[in-house]
Amino acid sequence: MRYQYVLSLFLLLSLLGSPPLAASNRNEDPSEALVRKIARDLRCAVCQNQSVYESNSDLAKDMLVVIRDKVQAGETETAIRDYFFQRYGDYIYLEPTAEGKNKILWWAPFLGLLIGVIALWRAILHWRTPTSRDNTAAESTPLSPEMAQRIRRDLEKTEV
Amino acid sequence: MKNIWQSVLLLSVLAILALFALGLHNDPHEIPSPLVNRPAPDFATQALDGQPIRLADYRGKWVLLNFWGSWCVSCVAEHPYLMELARNTRQRSDFVIVGVDFKDTEQGAAQFLARHGNPGYRHAFDPGQKIAIDWGVYGAPESYLIDPTGMIRLKQTGPLYPGWFEKMALPLIQATPPSHQGESR
């Protein structure tokens, strides 16, 4: 009975020690990691929202071959990204870059926030200070005798 | 004062809605080409006829570069116009059509030309679509018009249509002075 426990524990430990099946890319070419990184950030030109690396389309597969050739020829990541940008425009970047017209998208929310803060600040100032209109209204139209009389009458009627 | 702000707000909301409505009509499958008005990427490869072909050899002429494949359905629709255009422009010394048969087999291309007619111009053979990717092609058919100095002047995504040459290419060809065209010959 006891040796069964020992055996099962041993089996369990040996399972933990073995690498997962998916990690079979350990004897791949070291440059493949860079290929993967570049391909994950580029949009496959015939798919709407899939990277070159994930897509199964023929174009994406051939783009992957082009990336691999360029990596193996020693080109840098920026150079390869730029190569595709020159040909397909900024559509090719899965993550929009903060350049050119895209800057509007990046900065507009902060600009909106700033405008909002300024507007709120002005509104608070406006609420806290008595407006000039209230003052002038009080000064320019003195109480008419009838109105004064009416107020006095109403006050007398009111039980405090 | 308050009214001004209200109309400003209303106008900006309307402007955003208008932009949105315009955006709805964009085709997400159509990527604008950044290659227009840039120097054409050169290629040197084997042609379908088995001889070497180089784009730079056509410098000095207007080149209509047509990307196609025997697997492409729209290319069948486009083909009669290419046949007609090749026939009509055969006499022109300043204009030439070059095909790029990509992602294809030689047999497939031969069958296509046998079945739908051979327009007579040459085709670069690009089975791994290296040229196509180098030209930012993502579908077929796609066509580029290259001027005599080797600049890309026009891109047509999708089939060329009857009257395309007169409507799109001829104005450009006529607007470029012939003396300038002969420069790089």
Side-chain angles (χ1 to χ4, degrees), chain B residues 123-175:
Chain B
H123 304 274
F125 183 51
D126 182 27
Q129 60 178 330
K130 289 228 160 52
I131 300 171
I133 291 174
D134 203 33
W135 279 72
V137 168
Y138 56 89
E142 284 185 25
S143 305
Y144 287 94
L145 185 68
I146 303 136
D147 78 7
T149 64
M151 293 284 271
I152 296 174
R153 298 294 293 276
L154 211 64
K155 180 179 184 183
Q156 167 73 25
T157 307
L160 298 168
Y161 45 87
W164 176 87
F165 181 77
E166 288 74 20
K167 193 183 161 206
M168 305 298 289
L170 215 49
L172 277 175
I173 295 174
Q174 281 163 352

Side-chain angles (χ1 to χ4, degrees), chain A residues 45-46 48 58-60 62-66 69-70 83-92 122, chain B residues 1 28-29 31-35 38 41 103 127-130 132-139 144:
Chain A
V46 288
Q48 295 304 306
D58 279 342
L59 180 62
D62 289 330
M63 282 168 85
L64 197 62
V65 172
V66 170
D69 287 352
K70 287 187 178 298
Y83 171 84
F84 285 102
F85 175 73
Q86 298 288 328
R87 281 150 183 84
Y88 291 97
D90 57 6
Y91 177 88
I92 206 76
R122 287 189 51 147
Chain B
M1 191 64 184
H29 293 280
I31 316 172
S33 178
L35 279 174
R38 299 284 268 286
K103 206 64 197 163
Q129 60 178 330
K130 289 228 160 52
I133 291 174
D134 203 33
W135 279 72
V137 168
Y138 56 89
Y144 287 94

Side-chain angles (χ1 to χ4, degrees), chain A residues 52-100:
Chain A
V52 169
Y53 188 71
E54 291 160 341
S55 171
N56 252 334
S57 73
D58 279 342
L59 180 62
K61 284 179 193 162
D62 289 330
M63 282 168 85
L64 197 62
V65 172
V66 170
I67 296 172
R68 193 168 290 136
D69 287 352
K70 287 187 178 298
V71 167
Q72 267 154 22
E75 285 189 36
T76 61
E77 185 184 345
T78 1
I80 297 170
R81 279 172 64 87
D82 196 53
Y83 171 84
F84 285 102
F85 175 73
Q86 298 288 328
R87 281 150 183 84
Y88 291 97
D90 57 6
Y91 177 88
I92 206 76
Y93 294 149
L94 263 181
E95 186 173 326
T97 50
E99 277 161 28

Side-chain angles (χ1 to χ4, degrees), chain B residues 38-83:
Chain B
R38 299 284 268 286
D42 195 17
F43 60 78
T45 185
Q46 209 195 342
L48 278 179
D49 55 22
Q51 301 298 309
I53 185 168
R54 208 164 80 105
L55 182 66
D57 290 343
Y58 296 97
R59 198 61 63 82
K61 290 181 177 183
W62 287 84
V63 181
L64 174 63
L65 193 67
N66 175 249
F67 287 84
W68 66 282
S70 65
W71 43 269
C72 145
V73 182
S74 309
C75 301
V76 178
E78 179 188 55
H79 205 67
Y81 179 65
L82 280 171
M83 299 274 287

